Structure formats: structure tokens, C-alpha cells
Amino acid sequence: MTAANNGASTPEDDDPFGYLYEDGQAAGATPPGQGRGYGYPGPAPQPGVPRTSYNQVRTVGERRQYAQPPQPFPQQQGYGQQPTAAYAAPETYPGGAQTRQGPVAPAQGRGRGPNTRGLLIGAIAVVAVVVIGIGVALMTSGDDKNQAGGSGASAGPTAADSVKPSEEPTAKPDEPVELPKQDAATLKLGGPASAANTVPGAKGTNGGYVMFNGEGGSASWSVEVPEAGAYTMYITYSVPGKDAKTTLTINSGQPREINMANFARAAKGDWEKGWTNTYSYVNLEKGKNDLKISCEPGNQCEAYLDQVWLEAGQKQG
């Protein structure tokens, strides 16, 4: 079996820089432009045997002219750029010289630069979402507080609660205090005292009045006064044409006589003509006071009691 023929010369026989070395020069290596080319001269080429080395050795800077310049792959065009012609070596053009390609200026018009408009819209959208979120949180917090207050939590006073009706104005010291009249027939009766209405002329309701009916008979009541001090007690009564005397007791104070004289000048035994009035000065405490008119031992109690009432200050009848 014969070895394969590798051609007229093998790649190791080609040394483009062989002429620089002493052994290369001894072997017949020649510089460019002298002889066949670079390297060591190998065996002569044999007809019909292809060369295995395809190194096309040529002088640096030497370019071979082609009938048509090789076309590179088409360059991808950017958005907004004008199509450019295929690249060809500068020396292929008439009078052209080898030049360095400078930086390509950006194309005029719209390019694929940063999308500032989109970024601005996005930023505004983010701010709007944050503001809406804060507003919803505040509204939710307010609703929770309102619900907490309605579920039993004590709330502050409202305007309606803070406005209270003013109390009844109290009377000034220099103004008279009008106290209600008391019908004797409505008072608390004690001992042999009793109510009647057979004698005409009484001013009480339905003409009612009180008869003491002797020692121990009494009529009691209570009265509220705004201020402590002097008051005038008025009494309407009837006597049968002669004077009478009764006893007045205030709270737990010392009893004293009340003069119930025949001021009407009625004839003896004339009860109907004997209706008249009298008054007595009393000192009362502020607030509640208990009063009693009674027939005590030593009194002349033949009298009918009609009405009683008080007025502030010491006045005359």
C-alpha cells in the first residue's frame, strides 16, 4: 500500500519568514519579489497533483483586484436610518486611498433614543396610585372610628347635649316673691279641727274653711322660700262678732299668738258678716319651712280659718 501523495509541497515547507534565517537563506529562501515567493523552496510542482497548502502569500498591503468587489452581509438598518451601500475597499475606487473609518454620526430625525415620554407617564401614574391609596386609607380610618363610637364607645358631648335649658330665674331681693295661697280646707288638720262650707262668704274652693272646734284643733302646711329672711303671712278668717286668738308655730320655734280680732265689725253671732283678714311678720329659713296654726290652752279659738299665704318682706295689710 503506497503512501498518499500530499502534493508538490507541504505546509511545513512554507515559512513566510524563512529568508530571515541563516538556514533559510542556505536553503534558497528569497525575500518578497524575488523567486516564487516566501519560504523554503520545496519540490517542483507535479502535473495533476493538487497543492495541499492554500496559503496565498503576498506582500503586506497588496490587494488583488476583483472584477466585482465582494459583497458583505447586508448591515441591519436601524429605525430611522437611511439604507447604505455595501462596503467596498477604498482602493477599489478610482483615486481612492486607504482611510480609517470614523465614527458614524447619529441619524437625524426620530431615532431609538430613551423613551422619556413613556417614563414621564409612568411616573405620573405611580404618584396617582400612591395618592389614591392614601385617600382610601384615611377614609377607612375615619369609618372605623365612627363605627367604634357607635358600638358603645363614649362619644364627646354634641352641640345639642352642651346646650341645656337655663334654670328658672330666681327672684331678686328687691322683687316680691309670689307664693301660692293655701285653702285652709286643704291643709293637714289635727285634733278636733274639721272642714266645713255652710257659712257663705269663704274664698276657699267650694266655699270651704276649717273650724278649730276647741283646744287642740290645728291646721298645718309646708312652704318653700327662695331666700332666708323676713316674710309677711296673711290670713283670711271669720269671727262671730267678737275677737279671737290662736297660736302660730314655725318649724320648731317658739309659739306665738295671732290676733284674730273682729275687724269687720260684725254683729255678735253673725258669721257671714265676720269674714276679714289679718297679717303677721315671720322669719323663715331658705328652703322648706313648716307652719301650724292651732288652738292652744289659753287661746280664744272661736274662729273659722279660710286661707293663708306668704309674701317676701315686711308689708302691711
Side-chain angles (χ1 to χ4, degrees), residues 182-201:
Q182 299 285 330
D183 291 340
T186 64
L187 303 182
K188 181 180 179 181
L189 305 181
S194 63
N197 60 354
T198 57
V199 177

Side-chain angles (χ1 to χ4, degrees), residues 107-237:
Q108 298 296 328
R110 294 189 305 171
R112 194 177 290 273
N115 192 356
T116 57
R117 185 176 182 181
L119 293 177
L120 179 60
I121 295 175
I124 294 175
V126 171
V127 172
V129 170
V130 172
V131 171
I132 293 174
I134 294 175
V136 172
L138 292 176
M139 293 175 62
T140 305
S141 176
D143 293 340
D144 294 341
K145 292 180 180 179
N146 291 335
Q147 293 175 0
S151 61
S154 60
T158 62
D161 295 336
S162 60
V163 177
K164 296 182 180 179
S166 59
E167 298 179 355
E168 292 294 332
T170 58
K172 296 181 180 179
D174 56 347
E175 294 182 356
V177 177
E178 183 177 357
L179 298 174
K181 290 184 177 180
Q182 299 285 330
D183 291 340
T186 64
L187 303 182
K188 181 180 179 181
L189 305 181
S194 63
N197 60 354
T198 57
V199 177
K203 296 181 179 179
T205 304
N206 298 323
Y209 52 88
V210 171
M211 300 182 297
F212 289 103
N213 294 328
E215 188 177 315
S218 66
S220 302
W221 75 101
S222 298
V223 64
E224 293 274 348
V225 295
E227 298 292 339
Y231 290 83
T232 301
M233 183 180 69
Y234 293 93
I235 303 171
T236 59
Y237 62 97

Side-chain angles (χ1 to χ4, degrees), residues 3-312:
N5 189 348
N6 291 330
S9 64
T10 58
E12 59 270 12
D13 294 330
D14 290 337
D15 186 353
F17 303 102
Y19 69 93
L20 299 175
Y21 306 105
E22 184 177 356
D23 56 348
Q25 295 175 2
T30 59
Q34 302 177 8
R36 289 188 305 107
Y38 302 121
Y40 303 99
Q46 301 178 10
V49 178
R51 175 182 173 88
T52 59
S53 175
Y54 294 94
N55 289 327
Q56 302 295 325
V57 181
R58 55 182 174 171
T59 307
V60 176
E62 177 186 357
R63 290 187 180 274
R64 186 169 298 180
Q65 301 294 331
Y66 296 93
Q68 182 179 358
Q71 300 295 328
F73 291 105
Q75 185 178 5
Q76 184 178 1
Q77 298 178 3
Y79 180 78
Q81 294 181 348
Q82 299 296 331
T84 57
Y87 170 78
E91 61 270 18
T92 61
Y93 296 97
Q98 185 176 3
T99 60
R100 294 181 62 184
Q101 186 177 5
V104 180
Q108 298 296 328
R110 294 189 305 171
R112 194 177 290 273
N115 192 356
T116 57
R117 185 176 182 181
L119 293 177
L120 179 60
I121 295 175
I124 294 175
V126 171
V127 172
V129 170
V130 172
V131 171
I132 293 174
I134 294 175
V136 172
L138 292 176
M139 293 175 62
T140 305
S141 176
D143 293 340
D144 294 341
K145 292 180 180 179
N146 291 335
Q147 293 175 0
S151 61
S154 60
T158 62
D161 295 336
S162 60
V163 177
K164 296 182 180 179
S166 59
E167 298 179 355
E168 292 294 332
T170 58
K172 296 181 180 179
D174 56 347
E175 294 182 356
V177 177
E178 183 177 357
L179 298 174
K181 290 184 177 180
Q182 299 285 330
D183 291 340
T186 64
L187 303 182
K188 181 180 179 181
L189 305 181
S194 63
N197 60 354
T198 57
V199 177
K203 296 181 179 179
T205 304
N206 298 323
Y209 52 88
V210 171
M211 300 182 297
F212 289 103
N213 294 328
E215 188 177 315
S218 66
S220 302
W221 75 101
S222 298
V223 64
E224 293 274 348
V225 295
E227 298 292 339
Y231 290 83
T232 301
M233 183 180 69
Y234 293 93
I235 303 171
T236 59
Y237 62 97
S238 177
V239 289
K242 61 179 181 180
D243 297 336
K245 290 184 180 180
T246 57
T247 299
L248 172 64
T249 305
I250 301 174
N251 297 322
S252 58
Q254 184 68 30
R256 64 178 181 175
E257 288 186 350
I258 300 175
N259 182 17
M260 301 175 74
N262 182 18
F263 297 116
R265 301 288 191 270
K268 187 176 180 180
D270 190 353
W271 291 92
E272 185 175 352
K273 298 294 182 177
W275 295 108
T276 185
N277 61 80
T278 188
Y279 63 91
S280 177
Y281 298 142
V282 296
N283 290 317
L284 302 178
E285 300 174 0
K286 180 179 179 180
K288 180 181 178 181
N289 292 265
D290 297 324
L291 296 91
K292 181 178 71 170
I293 299 176
S294 61
C295 182
E296 301 296 332
N299 292 153
Q300 176 58 43
C301 300
E302 195 173 355
Y304 294 162
L305 185 61
D306 183 12
Q307 289 180 326
V308 292
W309 71 92
L310 295 170
E311 290 185 7

